[in-house]
Amino acid sequence: MIEALRTFVAVAETGHFQAAAGDLGISQQAVSKRIAGLEKHLGVSLLVRAPRGSRLSLDGRFFLPHARKVLAAVEQAEQAMRPGHRPLRVDVLNQRIAPAQAVYGFYRARPGTALDTVTLDDRNADQAVQEVLNGTVDASFRALPADRIPAGLDAERLLDAPLELLVGPGHPLADATRVRPADLAGHRIWIPGIRPGTEWEAFYRALSETFGLSIDALGPHFGDEALMDSLAASSSLATLITAGDRYLWPQSHDLRRIPLRDPTPVYPHLLLSRAGDRHPVLTALRDHLRTSRPRPVGETWVPSWAGEGAGACRPACAGVSRSLRFSCRDPCPNVVPERCAGGARRKRRRNPPVDTSIPPASNGDRRPIHRVRRS
């Protein structure tokens, strides 16, 4: 049908079948066949044949502007699908967190880049993988093990987001310039909204088990603003964010962002895309992330399922926790030597005993939350 419309417009503009055939690079017989098929489809005569050429019939004059609009729309659609013309569609998971800020930094470095960001925060990693494979999005930032990356997908770890502690001014650690993950044992860390089966649940579970932390994922989540209010008003509540996250709160809250060190836990974001995708903006985004991504200071930690990576420290055995509370309940063996990527050996201290006598702060869930008490 499109070729028939293009042929009709060519005949209307030249007034001759032979001239239209020359412009289109086809035979005059093919032009006649296309016009006849179009007229049969529409049930009207579009052209009046004459010895010296052809002219539009009354129906042809009425139809011509519509045919031109259709061909213009087809041309725009084809142009939009050429490499670099269609915007790159990237899932950044959440507008506040590190991937969104990294993509925003890329756009600021290349103003006017054809880019479209979406937040598939209601999908877990496996579902996001399917969205990439199905073409719903071109790329997605996710954290998942290598054995869950299917064929047909490229994955590159391009963004390690270092964790930070966020507390109010009355918290015992509020004035610290840095904190070790092991020093958080015994402190209540509240991260509401973690859903079972998500990659961030797996990450925080591994973190709590490795360092003996009590991460409370229970209770209703009324949004980031409500979480900031709770932190500002509490002398015991803390939460974890990453260095690239962008949160705003009233100046009167006086919240403190404190880096975690020795080691620095990092959330390992992979950039997932379809294998062989040569969208120029995707290539430029990869190059930008490779050269501009922040490098965590000192030794880092990632879950064992994320791979060690450069300078990462492999977590040793950890207690098993089966609830969304993430409290480490089964102590590891006495002392577990741990070898880091640099080859040095160090020893992890024994997990402290568990104290169940401390009641949880009010967060909408009255079930007891196991806490870790320092020895």
Side-chain angles (χ1 to χ4, degrees):
M1 178 62 69
I2 297 300
E3 293 305 321
L5 292 177
R6 188 172 285 115
T7 302
F8 165 69
V9 171
V11 173
E13 291 176 345
T14 63
H16 295 274
F17 277 48
Q18 186 174 359
D23 290 346
L24 297 172
I26 59 177
S27 67
Q28 184 174 340
Q29 182 180 7
V31 171
S32 299
K33 187 175 181 179
R34 289 181 182 179
I35 296 297
L38 181 61
E39 289 178 326
K40 182 178 180 180
H41 176 75
L42 296 175
V44 297
S45 295
L46 299 174
L47 298 167
V48 177
R49 281 72 169 176
R52 295 187 177 181
S54 300
R55 59 182 176 83
L56 292 172
S57 67
L58 185 61
D59 289 325
R61 293 176 185 176
F62 180 80
F63 183 65
L64 180 59
H66 298 289
R68 284 174 170 159
K69 287 181 180 178
V70 171
L71 292 177
V74 170
E75 173 62 24
Q76 290 177 353
E78 291 176 346
Q79 185 173 356
M81 296 309 296
R82 291 172 188 144
H85 287 77
R86 178 181 62 81
L88 182 74
R89 190 173 175 85
V90 183
D91 164 38
V92 296
L93 187 59
N94 185 297
Q95 294 288 359
R96 294 186 185 272
I97 64 175
Q101 304 311 312
V103 174
Y104 176 53
F106 166 70
Y107 183 80
R108 291 188 63 183
R110 299 168 58 102
T113 298
L115 191 64
D116 182 21
T117 60
V118 297
T119 56
L120 302 181
D121 53 357
D122 58 340
R123 317 296 206 277
N124 61 28
D126 293 326
Q127 292 168 334
V129 162
Q130 291 304 313
E131 298 289 2
V132 175
L133 290 173
N134 295 338
T136 305
V137 294
D138 296 303
S140 178
F141 285 90
R142 296 288 165 158
L144 73 169
D147 59 4
R148 285 170 53 192
I149 300 174
L153 209 66
D154 286 339
E156 185 175 356
R157 186 167 146 191
L158 289 173
L159 184 61
D160 280 353
L163 259 61
E164 294 181 338
L165 186 71
L166 184 63
V167 298
H171 195 278
L173 299 175
D175 295 327
T177 57
R178 62 182 62 187
V179 175
R180 297 186 308 155
D183 292 336
L184 299 180
H187 292 279
R188 180 169 179 250
I189 303 172
W190 188 32
I191 308 180
I194 297 178
R195 298 195 307 275
T198 58
E199 61 267 34
W200 49 95
E201 181 218 13
F203 174 84
Y204 284 115
R205 183 182 298 278
L207 181 72
S208 67
E209 293 173 350
T210 300
F211 297 104
L213 307 184
S214 178
I215 297 180
D216 179 1
L218 300 176
H221 182 32
F222 294 107
D224 297 325
E225 291 76 12
L227 176 59
M228 304 299 137
D229 293 343
S230 299
L231 293 172
S234 174
S235 61
S236 62
L237 194 63
T239 195
L240 293 173
I241 58 176
T242 66
D245 295 355
R246 190 171 184 175
Y247 293 99
L248 300 176
W249 54 79
Q251 187 175 2
S252 58
H253 279 12
D254 194 22
L255 300 185
R256 318 290 174 84
R257 299 180 73 141
I258 306 169
L260 299 185
R261 296 286 189 270
D262 301 325
T264 298
V266 296
Y267 193 92
H269 292 282
L270 301 175
L271 182 62
L272 308 175
S273 61
R274 289 181 297 279
D277 190 339
R278 297 184 179 180
H279 196 298
V281 178
L282 178 60
T283 301
L285 176 60
R286 287 198 191 101
D287 292 341
H288 173 83
L289 292 174
R290 289 172 186 145
T291 57
S292 65
R293 58 182 173 177
R295 306 290 178 177
V297 177
E299 183 183 72
T300 60
W301 172 91
V302 293
S304 57
W305 50 260
E308 292 186 57
C313 189
R314 182 191 309 163
C317 127
V320 178
S321 171
R322 302 190 182 278
S323 75
L324 275 176
R325 297 187 183 93
F326 296 150
S327 300
C328 184
R329 303 177 63 178
D330 299 322
C332 298
N334 295 340
V335 178
V336 180
E338 185 172 81
R339 183 175 298 278
C340 301
R345 292 176 64 88
R346 63 186 177 89
K347 292 183 178 180
R348 289 184 51 209
R349 65 188 179 91
R350 183 197 309 256
N351 275 359
V354 174
D355 180 8
T356 60
S357 64
I358 307 175
S362 175
N363 62 2
D365 193 303
R366 298 296 181 179
R367 289 175 287 177
I369 299 174
H370 292 287
R371 295 176 177 276
V372 177
R373 183 188 65 220
R374 291 188 188 179
S375 300

